[in-house]
Amino acid sequence: MKTLTILRHAKSGWDVQVERDFDRPINKRGARGAELIGQWLKRQKLPVDRIIASPAVRVTETLDIFQPAADLDGLEPHWDRRIYLASAATLIDVIRDTGKNAEHLLISGHNPGLEDLILMLVPESADDELRAKVEEKLPTSALARLELDIADWHDLDTNSARFKGFIRPRDLDPALAPAMDND
């Protein structure tokens, strides 16, 4: 049994001028969302023993806030450039490369790849409310927790996961609802 935690980066600061999208930072609202989601993970006592992440600035800044809040600051992320703006198929390859060692893997990156990854891994079901929320949108700082009946990440396949949890910043603080600005 493996668990896969999927964390989208925090809200980006579009008002900051950067030469490359890769260098875009998170904004104040994003920092608050990352902290709330980290605190939620800690309260739930959900284990994470390995982190793989995009090295883009908005992901590194998200993890800089999320990890201490989640009590995961002793875990050094493995930065993988392939995650930056990756498709779901590429993300599956990245996860498969993890091997056997990690039981509870967290991947942090970008949309639309992460949203597509969840929808690719969790089979459609008429009564799956969490999948329906992700179909609607995987907002910034949202965290999905999936469970898989595999012994090795190399065996990861589509339609093989089930939801164990899904949380968005707005679920923890209504002031972070998308009505404030474009999420």
Side-chain angles (χ1 to χ4, degrees):
M1 185 74 62
K2 303 273 190 196
T3 58
L4 177 63
T5 301
I6 298 166
L7 175 67
R8 185 174 172 204
H9 68 75
K11 183 104 180 107
S12 299
W14 287 93
D15 53 336
V16 176
Q17 294 296 319
V18 293
E19 279 189 41
R20 306 177 310 160
D21 174 72
F22 187 89
D23 299 322
R24 188 171 316 286
I26 64 173
N27 65 20
K28 202 172 183 180
R29 181 174 170 221
R32 179 70 182 134
E35 181 180 35
L36 283 172
I37 295 298
Q39 291 169 347
W40 178 87
L41 188 78
K42 181 180 178 179
R43 281 193 309 275
Q44 302 303 308
K45 297 182 168 100
L46 299 173
V48 172
D49 53 29
R50 181 149 192 215
I51 299 172
I52 54 175
S54 163
V57 169
R58 58 190 175 273
V59 176
T60 63
E61 289 183 351
T62 298
L63 290 176
D64 284 347
I65 295 165
F66 168 84
Q67 284 186 254
D71 202 19
L72 296 173
D73 42 345
L75 206 52
E76 182 61 35
H78 172 74
W79 306 106
D80 192 325
R81 181 87 183 194
R82 295 177 295 168
I83 298 171
Y84 176 65
L85 303 181
S87 68
T90 298
L91 293 172
I92 286 175
D93 288 342
V94 169
I95 294 166
R96 283 179 178 154
D97 288 348
T98 302
K100 294 179 187 179
N101 297 342
E103 296 299 315
H104 308 284
L105 178 65
L106 183 143
I107 184 170
S108 185
H110 314 267
N111 254 2
L114 291 179
E115 182 176 312
D116 293 343
L117 174 67
I118 294 167
L119 298 176
M120 201 179 266
L121 292 178
V122 178
E124 276 189 69
S125 171
D127 60 345
D128 192 337
E129 293 176 21
L130 299 180
R131 192 180 192 286
K133 285 181 182 179
V134 173
E135 282 178 0
E136 182 183 312
K137 182 169 193 171
L138 180 69
T140 52
S141 292
L143 183 142
R145 185 111 169 151
L146 308 180
E147 189 174 72
L148 301 110
D149 290 320
I150 57 174
D152 189 314
W153 288 107
H154 188 73
D155 299 328
L156 180 66
D157 204 358
T158 59
N159 295 314
S160 63
R162 61 193 160 276
F163 266 105
K164 294 307 285 179
F166 178 67
I167 192 79
R168 305 166 294 194
R170 68 177 145 204
D171 299 328
L172 302 170
D173 180 354
L176 295 175
M180 288 184 65
D181 58 24
N182 294 328
D183 199 4

